[in-house]
């Protein structure tokens, strides 16, 4: 029996109202950005008083935090499900792009410009760590034996790999070797770089297919 099956009518109503508030919040973000998010404006749209909404969210920051948690949870579950079905790093890259294209505003809330004056609580970082763990596992599988086939790394790569081995807090407790850490970091920065430019519209009018650019960057990245 799920939690919703045992919830009281009051709890179900509260959950329904919180969901409706979040839906209006996403609409606001799509229209004016996260920095313009306003509980009072949402209250007007819902036909209730501002103080009434504060019974569901203590303030703007709590609402943003809830949206961030939902977005991270969605991405973590989407990548995790793909990995469980056998997706390799290339497959995960395309899953990431599909998730981002499906809802650019959700993507930018996580990976766009930080909301002025907002500081995310630590537990949101824990969810994002699940995403990185999925990618690190895929990177570790891909780099097994790859170094021997490729030969010795050049000096800059070796230097950065050594640096990452000593500065791996971002990888949590994952046991990925230096080569996998390096690949994961390169994957994260390059894929998000292409995605951010595409979703922000910077490729519009340039006359090429962003899907092919993404695929080409991914091919160049993979060992």
């Amino acid at each position: 029996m799920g939690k919703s099956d045992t919830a009281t009518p009051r709890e179900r109503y509260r959950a329904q109202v919180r969901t409706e508030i979040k839906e209006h919040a996403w609409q606001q973000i799509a229209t004016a950005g996260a920095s313009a998010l306003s509980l009072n404006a949402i209250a007007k749209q819902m036909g209730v008083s501002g103080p009434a909404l504060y019974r569901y969210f203590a303030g703007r920051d709590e609402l943003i935090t809830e949206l961030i948690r939902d977005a991270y949870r969605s991405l973590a579950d989407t990548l995790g499900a793909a990995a469980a079905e056998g997706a390799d790093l290339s497959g995960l890259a395309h899953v990431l792009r599909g998730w981002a294209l499906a809802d650019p505003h959700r993507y930018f809330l996580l990976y766009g410009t930080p909301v002025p004056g907002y500081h995310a609580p630590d537990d949101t970082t824990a969810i994002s760590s699940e995403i990185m763990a999925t990618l690190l596992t895929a990177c570790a599988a891909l780099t097994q034996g790859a170094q021997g086939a490729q030969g010795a790394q050049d000096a800059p790569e070796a230097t950065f790999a050594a640096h990452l081995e000593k500065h791996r807090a971002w990888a949590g407790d994952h046991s990925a070797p230096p080569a996998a850490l390096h690949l994961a970091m390169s994957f994260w920065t390059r894929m998000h770089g292409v995605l951010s430019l595409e979703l922000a519209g910077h490729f519009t009018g340039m006359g090429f297919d962003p899907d092919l650019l993404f695929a080409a960057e991914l091919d160049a990245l993979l060992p």
Side-chain angles (χ1 to χ4, degrees):
M1 183 177 292
K3 183 178 179 180
S4 60
D5 297 324
T6 60
T8 66
R10 181 186 293 273
E11 290 170 336
R12 287 196 295 271
Y13 177 74
R14 180 177 178 81
Q16 179 181 344
V17 174
R18 282 173 62 89
T19 297
E20 184 178 355
I21 292 170
K22 288 191 285 185
E23 289 172 353
H24 283 287
W26 282 119
Q27 292 170 9
Q28 275 194 15
I29 290 173
T31 301
S35 60
L37 193 62
S38 166
L39 279 176
N40 287 331
I42 292 173
K44 289 181 180 179
Q45 291 176 325
M46 294 177 63
V48 299
S49 66
L53 257 62
Y54 285 90
R55 294 200 298 267
Y56 300 94
F57 291 98
R60 183 206 68 158
D61 284 6
E62 184 177 313
L63 177 55
I64 292 176
T65 295
E66 187 75 5
L67 297 177
I68 289 174
R69 285 196 189 106
D70 288 351
Y72 269 135
R73 184 76 271 151
S74 172
L75 181 55
D77 290 348
T78 299
L79 291 175
E85 293 175 0
D88 59 7
L89 188 61
S90 178
L92 292 177
H94 290 289
V95 169
L96 170 64
R97 183 169 184 264
W99 183 90
L101 290 175
D103 193 338
H105 301 292
R106 178 178 58 179
Y107 173 86
F108 278 124
L109 183 62
L110 297 184
Y111 302 113
T113 303
V115 179
Y118 171 77
H119 300 285
D122 292 341
D123 67 326
T124 58
T125 303
I127 304 174
S128 68
S129 295
E130 293 181 37
I131 298 169
M132 186 56 73
T134 298
L135 297 178
L136 281 166
T137 297
C139 288
L142 190 61
T143 55
Q144 275 187 334
Q147 284 180 298
Q150 290 176 339
Q153 294 179 320
D154 61 32
E157 288 177 331
T159 299
F160 187 58
H163 174 78
L164 282 180
E165 191 172 15
K166 296 178 181 178
H167 298 81
R168 54 186 299 153
W170 57 275
D173 59 0
H174 201 286
S175 60
L181 293 176
H182 191 178
L183 179 59
M185 182 64 73
S186 298
F187 176 94
W188 200 236
T189 54
R190 289 176 67 170
M191 295 300 95
H192 279 301
V194 175
L195 278 173
S196 295
L197 288 170
E198 178 183 3
L199 295 176
H202 292 296
F203 298 152
T204 302
M206 293 183 71
F208 65 84
D209 186 345
D211 187 31
L212 294 179
L213 171 63
F214 187 86
E217 286 295 296
L218 181 59
D219 287 342
L221 176 66
L222 299 180

